[in-house]
């Protein structure tokens, strides 16, 4: 293998840049030509690629977002779209591809692999919703963004003795809600993986209020439903003054944490090693602090598991 490509696809995640840097530098270290493909699979179909040098990835390790831009492409889901992408790769002589993204992007990578282009995926999404890895690149940064925002909300919640519902991202997964709930000492965490009866949330709130708590924080995963609606219901039922904050896309940006930079660097370098070892159709990941790799199809077919011990712990610590 002499030429490889790298692209970022789907929702961006802090740490993608650090991973791109690692792919480019590790590729060049091995004597490869590395091509950066802009705008994900859409850009690939349009032939938007250029050769990367060592300096092309200078000064990006600390930046959020992705220097290669990201996109969602319906066209690429079709056979014609995939054939077009393969034609573009063949024109330049690219023999292997590193795909940074979430499960949607890995479906694309699996399709290209089946059509003869070896692909290796790097899990990059704030949602942490991918099996075969304990952590995805971007999760830790988003978690810390939520923690910081919630600390600020707690200040004003205390001053005004209010209840706050904070809606966080995660798509269908509750990881961001659960981890931030634990880190922020939330009274309740509401996640899609556990059906907490509404009455229990109210009961917990009123118990806290009765023993003199100045405020309450409820973290809601977006996959469960609307924070605004929940806030209204809570205020009507509990008669406690309630406000809602939907954190939104601030969770997707910002400087990646040290953890995400290290993870991204390790996974980026590993992805290149895997391509050179002749692996294809795999995702690299981290489990028990060891780098691992799994078949992409099996990653896609295995549900991601949330550590429910953490959920029990939130309940135990917020009595
Ligand atoms: P993420 O990778 O963050 O989960 P998406 O689900 O939006 O993001 O997927 C990103 C892109 O991956 C899509 O816009 C599409 O181009 C490609 N993709 C998703 N699903 C498929 C599929 N079944 N076949 C081919 N490509 C796909
Ligand atoms: O997958 C990452 C994510 O930020 C989810 O947490 C969220 O549901 C979704 O993407 C938002 O997507 P968009 O950027 O298209 O609004």
């Amino acid at each position: 293998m002499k030429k490889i490509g790298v692209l970022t696809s789907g929702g961006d995640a802090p740490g993608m840049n650090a991973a791109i840097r690692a792919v480019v530098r590790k590729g060049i270290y091995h004597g490869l030509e590395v091509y950066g493909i802009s705008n994900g699979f859409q850009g690939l179909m349009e032939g938007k690629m250029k050769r990367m040098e060592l300096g092309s990835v200078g000064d990006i390790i600390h930046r959020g977002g992705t220097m290669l831009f990201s996109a969602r492409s319906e066209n690429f889901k079709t056979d014609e779209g995939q054939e077009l992408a393969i034609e573009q790769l063949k024109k330049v002589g690219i023999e292997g591809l590193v795909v940074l993204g979430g499960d949607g992007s890995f479906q694309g990578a699996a399709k290209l692999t089946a059509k003869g282009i070896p692909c290796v995926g790097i899990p990059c999404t704030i949602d942490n919703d991918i099996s075969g890895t304990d952590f995805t690149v971007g999760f830790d940064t988003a978690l810390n963004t939520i923690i910081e925002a919630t600390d600020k909300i707690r200040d004003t919640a205390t001053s005004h003795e209010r209840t706050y519902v904070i809606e966080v991202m995660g798509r269908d997964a509750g990881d961001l809600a659960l981890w931030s709930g634990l880190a922020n000492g939330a009274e309740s965490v509401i996640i899609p993986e556990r059906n907490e009866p509404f009455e229990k949330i109210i009961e917990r709130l009123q118990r806290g209020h009765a023993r003199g708590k100045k405020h309450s924080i409820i973290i809601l995963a977006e996959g469960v439903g609307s924070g605004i609606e929940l806030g209204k219901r809570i205020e009507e039922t509990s008669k406690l003054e309630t406000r809602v904050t939907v954190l939104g896309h601030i969770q997707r940006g910002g400087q990646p944490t040290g953890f995400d930079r290290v993870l991204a660097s390790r996974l980026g370098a590993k992805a290149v090693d895997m391509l050179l070892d002749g692996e294809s159709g795999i995702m690299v990941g981290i489990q028990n602090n060891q780098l691992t790799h799994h078949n992409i199809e099996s990653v896609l077919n295995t549900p991601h598991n949330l550590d429910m011990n953490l959920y029990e712990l939130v309940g135990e610590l917020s009595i």
Side-chain angles (χ1 to χ4, degrees), residues 122-192:
I122 302 180
C124 296
T125 162
I126 64 165
D127 302 335
N128 207 43
D129 59 349
I130 312 258
S131 71
T133 188
D134 294 341
F135 297 104
T136 56
V137 172
F139 172 69
D140 186 63
T141 306
L143 171 63
N144 278 283
T145 300
I146 297 169
I147 291 171
E148 197 186 331
T150 304
D151 284 347
K152 289 179 177 164
I153 288 168
R154 180 188 282 272
D155 289 344
T156 175
T158 308
S159 307
H160 290 266
E161 304 195 24
R162 282 173 175 161
T163 294
Y164 265 85
V165 173
I166 302 176
E167 182 189 311
V168 303
M169 281 187 167
R171 208 178 283 266
D172 299 321
D175 296 55
L176 279 173
L178 182 53
W179 282 66
S180 62
L182 187 55
N184 283 113
E187 272 62 41
S188 287
V189 170
I190 308 171
I191 53 175

Side-chain angles (χ1 to χ4, degrees), residues 1 30 120 270-280 282 293:
M1 197 172 276
H30 281 306
V120 173
K270 172 87 172 172
V272 174
D273 289 341
M274 292 283 95
L275 275 178
L276 287 176
D277 282 353
E279 295 281 355
S280 76
I282 58 156
H293 63 278

